[in-house]
Amino acid sequence: MTALVMAATTLVFLFKNQNSTVIATADIQAVMDAQKLVWVKRMKAGEGTQVLNDSRDFQRKLEQVLARLAQDGNVVILDKNAFVAGVDVTDLTKVIMNELNLSASETLRLRQSLENELFSDFPTMRKDRP
């Protein structure tokens, strides 16, 4: 529910500025990483075929979300990793993740779980070590 309120607030901000072009950023790599973690979880649960089908369609879905946000709010969306400086620049990463049904908290939990699993035999490589 919080993500929905935040998405709505961001879109209201963008719509209010329709007369001028708005510059926004998005961490596209973080969005793709979040989606990959969800796919790994689903593959482990035995949904391999469906994950492959979904992965083939992901790029199109992402492009549709970006195009709609750009058009609806008269927004130029720049990749956050390529953005150097600016004033009043909105970060749309959470909005995009919400549109793709991705949760930042779930992503963090999945990443930690995967790291713990991968590095269980190599405790010195784990990021959360004391």
Side-chain angles (χ1 to χ4, degrees):
M1 185 66 170
T2 303
L4 182 61
V5 170
M6 190 171 91
T9 303
T10 301
L11 290 175
V12 166
F13 169 78
L14 295 174
F15 288 131
K16 280 177 57 178
N17 294 309
Q18 274 190 335
N19 294 337
S20 61
T21 301
V22 175
I23 303 294
T25 62
D27 190 342
I28 301 301
Q29 188 61 53
V31 172
M32 291 188 303
D33 288 348
Q35 182 61 68
K36 289 173 188 175
L37 287 168
V38 170
W39 288 335
V40 167
K41 174 187 169 188
R42 290 178 56 204
M43 293 278 287
K44 287 181 176 183
E47 300 178 35
T49 302
Q50 185 59 41
V51 167
L52 290 174
N53 291 335
D54 291 349
S55 68
R56 290 183 189 110
D57 200 32
F58 177 73
Q59 184 68 33
R60 182 190 59 78
K61 286 181 181 180
L62 177 59
E63 288 172 1
Q64 284 178 338
V65 167
L66 293 171
R68 187 177 45 73
L69 288 172
Q71 183 177 22
D72 291 350
N74 196 23
V75 181
V76 173
I77 303 172
L78 303 173
D79 191 303
K80 190 173 186 173
N81 294 319
F83 189 73
V84 178
V87 177
D88 295 328
V89 178
T90 303
D91 184 354
L92 295 176
T93 305
K94 291 182 181 179
V95 174
I96 293 166
M97 287 182 63
N98 186 54
E99 291 282 327
L100 295 169
N101 296 317
L102 299 170
S103 163
S105 60
E106 174 73 2
T107 298
L108 179 59
R109 188 187 65 71
L110 289 171
R111 178 174 285 120
Q112 289 171 340
S113 174
L114 185 60
E115 284 178 1
N116 288 339
E117 183 180 316
L118 288 174
F119 297 132
S120 64
D121 292 334
F122 306 99
T124 58
M125 294 177 71
R126 289 176 50 190
K127 290 182 182 180
D128 64 346
R129 66 186 166 128

